[in-house]
Amino acid sequence: MGWISRLMGGSDGGASQSAATAAKAGEQKLEQARQLERIGHDIDAAYYRWLTGSARFDAAPDVENGILDEVRALAARPDDAAGLVPRVPEVIPQLLGSLGEEDVSTGDLSRLVVQDPVLVAEVIREANSAFYRPMTKVDTVGAAIKLLGQNGLRMVLARVAFRPVINMDSDGFARRVAPHVWEQSERCALAASLIAPGIPAGGFEAYLSGLMQNVGLIVAFRLCPDRAVPGSTGFSSQLLALGRQMSAGIARHWEFPAEVALAIEQAGAPDASNLARALAQGDRIAKLRLLIDAGAVTEDDALVTDGLDSFQRRCLGKLAHVES
């Protein structure tokens, strides 16, 4: 019986060792997740400081709470919030609908695109951008559409539709900051679409989520004092979260795909959907790109080296070629 006991004891010892190894791996994974969460908060704080710049001021708690209460109340009324941003051009939904048809031709798409001079210029500009790097200059709509492909064209159309939504006419601080918010939205959309296939998630849905996620933030900035915004970290964290919540509500009001609205709402949450994970990673990469380009963060900063994996750092490099 002794050898049986020894064998059983060895088995128990092996099982215990396996359990201990699994527990240690779980602890390491949890700690890694916590570290990434801390880095995410640090990136958001650095981005907010850069974005608000000299407009930040030390606000009394009642001032901060008053602004946040207004934003929170508006986020609970997405129909009212949506009424504060412009509608997209009529030709955009037509084109997006046409792109979903299997038998649509380049000629059909060209005829729709040429109805809007802004779209013509944008499609040709995109085809000639450093991102696509054509061998020869593209100077016709048809050639541009062939180079971009249907998915590339959908992204151009979505970007054209959203630019006036973010860069909307408003007063005070919101108007001043809108161009920078648009830059972040555009880069977030591209980064999220590059990240999405590896998660996996839909590339175009990730792109839409990236463009849409800051709409609520711009609306929230309109509720801040004229040309000024509270600068505390606590305020910025809550304002960014409420802005995202408002964006999700507006997306539902505009009848966006349900997974897009949910991704905006869940981005950064522990058990988020795959699309929300792609959006959160794209958001982080885009913020770092802007901070690096502005000289606020360096390429070898811990926010980059510890906050991004190797593929995400390659995406960060691709964003350097984006022209707003």
Side-chain angles (χ1 to χ4, degrees), residues 47-60 63-64 67-68 71 172-174 176-177 217-240:
Y47 171 71
Y48 185 83
R49 286 194 301 271
W50 169 78
L51 183 66
T52 54
S54 60
R56 292 194 314 276
F57 72 100
D58 293 328
V63 173
E64 292 187 348
I67 295 171
L68 292 173
V71 176
F173 179 74
R176 171 181 168 180
V177 80
L217 180 61
I218 283 292
V219 174
F221 278 140
R222 295 181 67 176
L223 302 179
C224 292
D226 186 37
R227 300 190 181 282
V229 61
S232 74
T233 301
F235 176 86
S236 67
S237 177
Q238 292 186 70
L239 188 72
L240 292 173

Side-chain angles (χ1 to χ4, degrees), residues 1-250:
M1 294 293 291
W3 63 272
I4 295 178
S5 298
R6 285 195 297 273
L7 282 177
M8 291 181 66
S11 176
D12 288 345
S16 299
Q17 186 174 9
S18 297
T21 301
K24 185 176 181 180
E27 289 174 4
Q28 290 175 339
K29 187 175 181 180
L30 182 60
E31 179 53 35
Q32 184 180 33
R34 287 171 178 161
Q35 182 185 17
L36 286 175
E37 184 179 6
R38 288 193 295 270
I39 290 172
H41 288 315
D42 289 344
I43 292 172
D44 280 348
Y47 171 71
Y48 185 83
R49 286 194 301 271
W50 169 78
L51 183 66
T52 54
S54 60
R56 292 194 314 276
F57 72 100
D58 293 328
D62 60 322
V63 173
E64 292 187 348
N65 291 332
I67 295 171
L68 292 173
D69 285 345
E70 284 189 67
V71 176
R72 195 173 291 110
L74 188 57
R77 305 191 310 273
D79 51 338
D80 290 342
L84 297 176
V85 292
R87 294 182 179 276
V88 299
E90 181 114 4
V91 70
I92 302 292
Q94 295 177 24
L95 276 160
L96 288 174
S98 297
L99 284 167
E101 300 171 6
E102 294 183 2
D103 58 348
V104 65
S105 69
T106 299
D108 294 332
L109 294 174
S110 297
R111 282 188 287 275
L112 281 171
V113 169
V114 297
Q115 294 178 30
D116 190 325
V118 173
L119 282 181
V120 171
E122 193 70 21
V123 165
I124 292 177
R125 184 179 81 95
E126 179 70 8
N128 286 297
S129 69
F131 190 80
Y132 284 93
R133 298 181 181 180
M135 297 293 292
T136 58
K137 184 179 179 181
V138 177
D139 53 12
T140 68
V141 171
I145 290 174
K146 284 183 180 179
L147 179 62
L148 297 176
Q150 289 199 13
N151 201 49
L153 181 57
R154 284 206 297 177
M155 291 181 179
V156 172
L157 295 175
R159 191 171 70 239
V160 170
F162 271 92
R163 184 177 290 136
V165 173
I166 299 293
N167 284 325
M168 60 186 179
D169 290 333
S170 58
D171 296 322
F173 179 74
R175 182 171 186 174
R176 171 181 168 180
V177 80
H180 293 313
V181 175
W182 169 249
E183 285 183 293
Q184 200 277 333
S185 301
E186 191 176 13
R187 284 157 180 75
C188 172
L190 180 55
S193 72
L194 293 172
I195 290 288
I199 289 186
F204 183 62
E205 289 76 13
Y207 194 86
L208 275 182
S209 301
L211 291 178
M212 182 73 210
Q213 70 155 353
N214 283 327
V215 172
L217 180 61
I218 283 292
V219 174
F221 278 140
R222 295 181 67 176
L223 302 179
C224 292
D226 186 37
R227 300 190 181 282
V229 61
S232 74
T233 301
F235 176 86
S236 67
S237 177
Q238 292 186 70
L239 188 72
L240 292 173
L242 287 170
R244 186 181 297 280
Q245 180 185 332
M246 196 184 306
S247 296
I250 295 173

